[in-house]
Amino acid sequence: MKTIVVTGGAGFIGTNFVYYLLSHAPSCHIIVFDKLTYAGNKFNLQKALRRGRAVFVKGDIASPSQVRRLYLRFKPDYVFNFAAESHVDRSIEGPEAFVRTNVEGTFQLLEAARLHWAGLSGRTRAGFRFLHVSTDEVYGSLGPHGCFSETTPYAPNSPYSATKAGADHLVRAYHETYGLPVVMTNCSNNYGPYQFPEKLIPLMILNALEGKPLPVYGDGKNVRDWLYVEDHCDALWKAMTQGRPGEKYNVGGNNEKTNLEVVGTLCRQLQRAYPAKDNPALSKKGLRDYGNLVAFVKDRPGHDRRYAIDASKIRRELGWKPRHSFDTGIAATVKWYLDNRDWCRRVQEGNYGRQRLGLLKK
Ligand code: NAD
Ligand code: TDX
C-alpha cells in the first residue's frame, strides 16, 4: 500500500487527482497538504475525507519546518507537487506570492525529499518518486506553426511561467546533482469540474449564466491546447508509476482552439442546456443568445499568442492518450457548473467577484 502526498490537493487539478486515485489506486493512503489559499477548498474533498480515504493537513510548501514534518510523519512513497499560485493575471498584479510558493516552495519540498530519500533503503528507496506538475507556459509563445517538445528551450513570459520555469530547473538539478528520482510533466490548459472561476472557461460559463459581459482579451485569437482534467490525471499517474526518473513528459490534448472558438462553443452548449430566452438574466435585457454578451477588452500584458504540445513521448513511452474529446469534455464541464452553482457561490464568497485582474496600473 503506497503512501501518496498530494500538495495543492484542494485546488482544481489536485481535487480531481484525489478522486482519480480513489477509483484507480483504491488501496493507496492519500495525504493532501494544502495551504488553502483563495484557490483551495477543503470542502472539495468532502467525499474523500468523510469516507476516511484521505487525510488533510493544512500547510505551506514554502515552510521548511512544516514540509519536514510532513515527510517525517507520513514517510511518503510518492509525492505529487501540484501546489502553486496558478493564475497568470494574478501574477501580473502580485508576483511575490508566485516566487515564494512556486520557486521557494518547490525548493523546500525537494530539499525535504532529498533528506527523506537518503534515509530510505532497499525497495522503499528504489520505489520513491517525486513528481512535479508543471506547465507548457515555461516554453513561451509559439508562432502559427510548430509545437513544444520536451527539448524546446525555456522562454517564460509572465511572472507565473517564470516561477514555474525556476521550479522546473530546481527539479531537474536535484536529479542531476543528487540523483533524486524525480519525474516532471508539462501540461497544456486544463478544464473540467472544480476549476476556480478566475480561469477562462468557468469565468465565461458563470458570466454568461448571470447575463454579464464575456471579456475576451485582445482580438480573441490567442490559441490554447485544451485537455480535460481527468486525462491530465491519467497522464500524471502513468508518469509517476511508469515514467523514467529524471525524465520530463509533455502532456496535451491536441485540441488547439482560439479563445473565441472556446467562448463560442460554451455559448452554444449553454444555449442547448438553458436557452437564453428562458434565462431571466438575459431575457430581461432582450438578449436571446449568450453570444450577444461577448465583449472585447484590453489585452493581457505579455499575452502569449499560441501554445501547442507535442505529446508523442508520453503516448509512445507510457501508452497514454486522452479519452475525452473537446466536445464531450466541454459538455461535461458545462453540466457540472450548471449542477454546482452552490459550489461556485461558496468558493467566490467574500473572496473574488470575477473582476478583471492583471491590468497594469500606471
Ligand atoms: P489551483 O490554483 O486551482 O490550485 C492550487 C492549490 O495549491 C490550491 O489548493 C492552493 O490552496 C494550493 N497552494 C497554493 N500555495 C500553496 C502553498 N504555498 N502551500 C501549499 N499549498 C498551496 O491550481 P491548478 O489549476 O489546480 O494547478 C495545479 C498545478 O498544475 C499547478 O502547479 C499548475 O502550475 C499546474 N498546471 C495547471 C494547469 C491548468 O490549466 N490549470 C495546466 C498545466 C499545469
Ligand atoms: O477573462 C478572460 N478572458 C480571456 O480572454 C480570461 C480569464 C482569460 N482570457 C484568455 C487569456 C488566455 O489566452 O483566455 C486564455 C486562457 O486564460 P487563462 O484561463 O487565464 O489560462 P492561461 O493563461 O492560458 O493559463 C492556464 O493554462 C496553463 C492556467 O491558468 C495555468 O495555471 C496553466 O499553467
Side-chain angles (χ1 to χ4, degrees), residues 7-296:
T7 75
F12 162 47
I13 307 175
T15 295
N16 281 282
F17 187 68
V18 168
Y19 290 118
Y20 176 93
L21 285 179
L22 294 188
S23 51
H24 292 81
S27 64
C28 68
H29 181 210
I30 305 168
I31 292 96
V32 172
F33 184 78
D34 197 297
K35 187 178 171 182
L36 298 182
T37 67
Y38 77 94
N41 292 288
K42 198 172 163 188
F43 54 78
N44 288 357
L45 299 167
Q46 238 164 26
K47 274 183 269 166
L49 297 174
R50 235 194 272 127
R51 281 192 251 147
R53 291 297 326 279
V55 171
F56 182 84
V57 178
K58 185 165 188 244
D60 182 350
I61 60 166
S63 159
S65 56
Q66 290 176 22
V67 168
R68 185 82 191 105
R69 264 204 305 280
L70 174 75
Y71 281 88
L72 284 172
R73 181 170 163 207
F74 295 103
K75 301 178 177 50
D77 299 293
Y78 293 163
V79 176
F80 285 87
N81 181 28
F82 291 90
E85 288 291 338
S86 70
H87 191 37
V88 172
D89 290 337
R90 287 183 195 257
S91 82
I92 297 165
E93 299 223 339
E96 196 170 340
F98 288 71
V99 175
R100 182 168 154 79
T101 288
N102 300 359
V103 182
E104 198 181 331
T106 303
F107 163 70
Q108 297 299 352
L109 283 172
L110 286 165
E111 194 53 11
R114 182 165 79 89
L115 290 176
H116 166 69
W117 184 60
L120 301 177
S121 58
R123 279 174 49 192
T124 325
R125 180 176 163 85
F128 177 77
R129 295 283 183 280
F130 182 103
L131 189 144
H132 178 65
V133 182
S134 191
T135 169
D136 58 358
E137 301 200 12
V138 296
Y139 300 119
S141 184
L142 289 165
H145 308 292
C147 297
F148 299 130
S149 79
E150 286 80 1
T151 55
T152 301
Y154 277 27
N157 291 316
S158 70
Y160 163 68
S161 53
T163 57
K164 291 297 289 185
D168 289 12
H169 291 318
L170 282 169
V171 171
R172 177 191 154 90
Y174 268 68
H175 177 75
E176 296 299 322
T177 304
Y178 306 111
L180 191 71
V182 301
V183 177
M184 185 160 34
T185 54
N186 293 80
C187 187
S188 60
N189 286 59
N190 283 215
Y191 66 98
Y194 298 103
Q195 187 166 33
F196 193 78
E198 65 191 350
K199 306 281 166 51
L200 179 74
I201 288 179
L203 182 132
M204 293 294 173
I205 296 172
L206 297 185
N207 276 17
L209 288 172
E210 293 172 20
K212 294 186 173 152
L214 307 181
V216 172
Y217 298 172
D219 63 4
K221 292 189 181 144
N222 301 65
V223 172
R224 300 291 183 264
D225 178 358
W226 293 95
L227 183 70
Y228 191 62
V229 62
E230 203 177 281
D231 286 323
H232 185 192
C233 294
D234 191 39
L236 293 170
W237 185 241
K238 285 199 162 64
M240 176 62 105
T241 54
Q242 301 169 41
R244 285 177 291 142
E247 290 294 318
K248 83 201 303 272
Y249 299 91
N250 280 358
V251 184
N254 214 5
N255 250 320
E256 284 184 56
K257 307 275 175 214
T258 65
N259 294 335
L260 273 178
E261 284 170 330
V262 171
V263 174
T265 305
L266 291 171
C267 290
R268 282 191 298 279
Q269 292 276 352
L270 283 171
Q271 194 65 23
R272 229 170 281 151
Y274 186 16
K277 67 173 172 44
D278 301 333
N279 179 346
L282 279 92
S283 58
K284 72 174 184 232
K285 293 182 180 166
L287 302 177
R288 299 183 65 80
D289 193 308
Y290 291 99
N292 298 139
L293 295 168
V294 168
F296 289 92

